[in-house]
Amino acid sequence: VINPSSGLIDLTATPAGNYTVTYTLPETGGCSSPATFDITINENPVVEAIGDTVCAGEVAFLTASGADTYSWSPSAGLDVSTGSSVQVVLTSGQTYTVTGTDSSTGCMSTAQAVVHVDVAPN
């Protein structure tokens, strides 16, 4: 999708695919010269995340799928902050964001996993 006023390409609004873009400068002084280039817009990975429900102090397991590499945040309390499967021990609920990256294209996407912590009965 190209903005006709500015000539900027909006990559977020353009479907994935291979495109050939030709740009011709407006004629000034009788000369114009087109420039053509190819651009490939890759699909973002579809990242899915699964949370867990545990009692306070128990290990919660978080998993992600749909990409090649993963980074979790916030990292506080996690056993590791990278990988498709991580563990955490909490005393209250927390939402984690995982960023998945397709290693062949560098494209990224995020998903959220929620850890619910059940309160122990008195």
Side-chain angles (χ1 to χ4, degrees):
V1 175
I2 299 177
N3 181 319
S5 299
S6 67
L8 295 176
I9 299 172
D10 184 352
L11 298 178
T12 61
T14 304
N18 297 314
Y19 299 91
T20 300
V21 177
T22 301
Y23 180 77
T24 304
L25 290 171
E27 286 190 40
T28 56
C31 297
S32 77
S33 176
T36 300
F37 60 94
D38 294 324
I39 184 170
T40 299
I41 300 174
N42 296 302
E43 292 279 346
N44 285 327
V46 178
V47 176
E48 294 183 13
I50 300 173
D52 202 356
T53 300
V54 295
C55 292
E58 291 183 341
V59 175
F61 297 90
L62 306 173
T63 58
S65 62
D68 297 317
T69 61
Y70 304 92
S71 177
W72 295 84
S73 65
S75 61
L78 295 174
D79 64 334
V80 292
S81 61
T82 60
S84 61
S85 181
V86 297
Q87 300 175 22
V88 64
V89 176
L90 299 170
T91 56
S92 62
Q94 175 72 42
T95 299
Y96 290 90
T97 299
V98 61
T99 301
T101 304
D102 181 319
S103 59
S104 66
T105 64
C107 295
M108 296 183 282
S109 188
T110 61
Q112 291 188 325
V114 178
V115 176
H116 297 279
V117 176
D118 289 337
V119 178
N122 289 333

